[in-house]
């Protein structure tokens, strides 16, 4: 089996993990562990894993000026990103949340045009507008009688804010990630992220009744820490070393598909016309934004 095939398998597994996480995390919160408490568990667990992993990597000294950049990246890529995502997911449904995440490429384009002064193309601008229309439809009208979502409108909006935060994070780390070994970078990223989420997560974590919590919930929390955080990062990292970033990026579009199938199988969510329509509109907008520009086109 060649390295490209292995890389595609690794990225596929990472995408599968992300897809089922929407439902698994929804099973954990807010009934057993509140959102911010779950985030603290996830970030602290990942911090320990990555710092242990760094023991097997050649030590690199971080430039003093880069600590501020890593701290800013930690705010948007770990702290604010996870706080809005898990809080939003606790209020909405797995399918709606997974669809909102697909808006990330649109938001990356917006931030790239603002911060990196990337060239604006009419087709991409139209794609942004169409994608945002689909997003607004899902946020405002994506409500149904499903009792698993206590405040779907707010939840969808928070997941959208999370996608925006992560999109900004991708822009911020574009240059700095090339300077250091990925494990060295990520261990500091998560350490700073841990400092950010602790004040929010600690009060909720102290409320958890560990003695009465079912074994299945312990296993799901472990899955989120080890697989959703650590394994997916390592698998995507391997994929990026063997595949083009655009190839890896395409896999984000499979997340809603996997999330929908898994959620429907276990009965944690349902489909309706608004969700289907909004999804089609968002995907079309993303297609226009991410489609390669013909270099010979005027």
């Amino acid at each position: 089996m060649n390295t490209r095939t292995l890389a595609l398998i690794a990225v596929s597994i990472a995408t599968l993990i992300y897809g089922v996480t929407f439902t698994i995390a929804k099973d954990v919160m807010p009934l057993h562990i509140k959102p911010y408490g779950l985030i603290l568990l996830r970030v602290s667990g990942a911090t320990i894993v990555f710092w242990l992993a760094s023991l097997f990597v050649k030590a690199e000294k971080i430039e003093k000026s880069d600590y501020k950049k890593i701290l800013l990246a930690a705010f948007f890529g770990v702290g604010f990103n996870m706080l809005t995502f898990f809080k939003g997911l606790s209020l909405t449904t797995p399918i709606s949340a997974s669809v909102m995440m697909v808006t990330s490429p649109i938001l990356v384009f917006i931030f790239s045009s603002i911060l990196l002064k990337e060239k604006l193309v009419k087709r991409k601008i139209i794609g942004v507008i169409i994608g945002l229309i689909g997003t607004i439809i899902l946020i405002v009208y994506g409500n149904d009688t499903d009792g698993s979502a206590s405040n779907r409108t707010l939840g969808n909006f928070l997941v959208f804010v999370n996608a925006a935060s992560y999109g900004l994070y991708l822009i911020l780390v574009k240059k700095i990630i090339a300077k250091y070994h990925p494990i060295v970078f990520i261990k500091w990223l998560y350490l700073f992220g841990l400092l950010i989420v602790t004040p929010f997560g600690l009060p909720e974590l102290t409320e958890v009744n560990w003695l009465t919590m079912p074994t299945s919930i312990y296993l799901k929390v472990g899955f989120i820490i080890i697989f959703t955080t650590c394994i997916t990062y390592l698998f995507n990292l391997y994929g990026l070393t063997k595949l083009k970033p655009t190839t890896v990026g395409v896999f984000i579009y499979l997340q809603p598909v996997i999330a929908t199938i898994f959620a429907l199988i276990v009965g944690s969510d349902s489909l309706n016309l608004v969700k289907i329509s909004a999804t089609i509109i968002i995907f079309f907008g993303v297609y226009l934004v991410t489609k390669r520009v013909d270099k010979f086109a005027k």
Side-chain angles (χ1 to χ4, degrees), residues 80-224:
F80 189 59
N81 168 42
M82 290 191 184
L83 290 171
T84 50
F85 173 74
F86 278 83
K87 184 65 175 180
L89 181 58
S90 71
L91 298 173
T92 187
T93 62
I95 294 177
S96 295
S98 65
V99 171
M100 297 302 296
M101 287 299 297
V102 181
T103 61
S104 185
I106 294 176
L107 297 164
V108 169
F109 166 71
I110 293 174
F111 292 132
S112 295
S113 62
I114 296 172
L115 301 176
L116 303 180
K117 308 299 181 184
E118 289 193 5
K119 185 179 179 181
L120 293 174
V121 180
K122 184 184 292 185
R123 171 179 48 76
K124 292 190 175 185
I125 295 174
I126 294 173
V128 168
I129 295 172
I130 291 174
L132 292 180
I133 289 173
T135 301
I136 292 171
I137 290 174
L138 189 59
I139 290 174
V140 178
Y141 300 105
N143 295 301
D144 55 32
T145 57
D146 187 355
S148 66
S150 58
N151 192 336
R152 193 187 305 263
T153 300
L154 178 59
N156 289 339
F157 175 74
L158 288 175
V159 176
F160 175 71
V161 171
N162 150 75
S165 179
Y166 189 71
L168 184 55
Y169 157 78
L170 292 176
I171 301 300
L172 293 173
V173 301
K174 190 172 184 178
K175 293 181 179 179
I176 194 172
I177 191 66
K179 294 176 64 176
Y180 305 105
H181 189 285
I183 296 294
V184 174
F185 168 77
I186 205 72
K187 76 173 187 178
W188 285 105
L189 181 80
Y190 268 87
L191 180 60
F192 288 146
L194 179 60
L195 297 176
I196 294 170
V197 303
T198 296
F200 297 91
L202 195 58
E204 292 190 355
L205 203 57
T206 58
E207 297 176 9
V208 178
N209 192 335
W210 300 101
L211 296 178
T212 60
M213 198 161 67
T215 303
S216 61
I217 300 301
Y218 278 102
L219 294 174
K220 289 175 181 178
V221 171
F223 178 92
I224 292 169

Side-chain angles (χ1 to χ4, degrees), residues 95-96 98-106 127-128 130-135 138 249-258 260 275-291:
I95 294 177
S96 295
S98 65
V99 171
M100 297 302 296
M101 287 299 297
V102 181
T103 61
S104 185
I106 294 176
V128 168
I130 291 174
L132 292 180
I133 289 173
T135 301
L138 189 59
V250 167
F251 281 82
I252 193 175
Y253 309 132
L254 293 177
Q255 289 186 30
V257 178
I258 296 170
T260 298
K275 287 181 187 177
I276 296 172
S277 302
T279 300
I280 293 172
I281 294 172
I282 291 172
F283 267 79
F284 182 59
V286 171
Y287 167 75
L288 292 177
V289 170
T290 57
K291 182 184 178 183

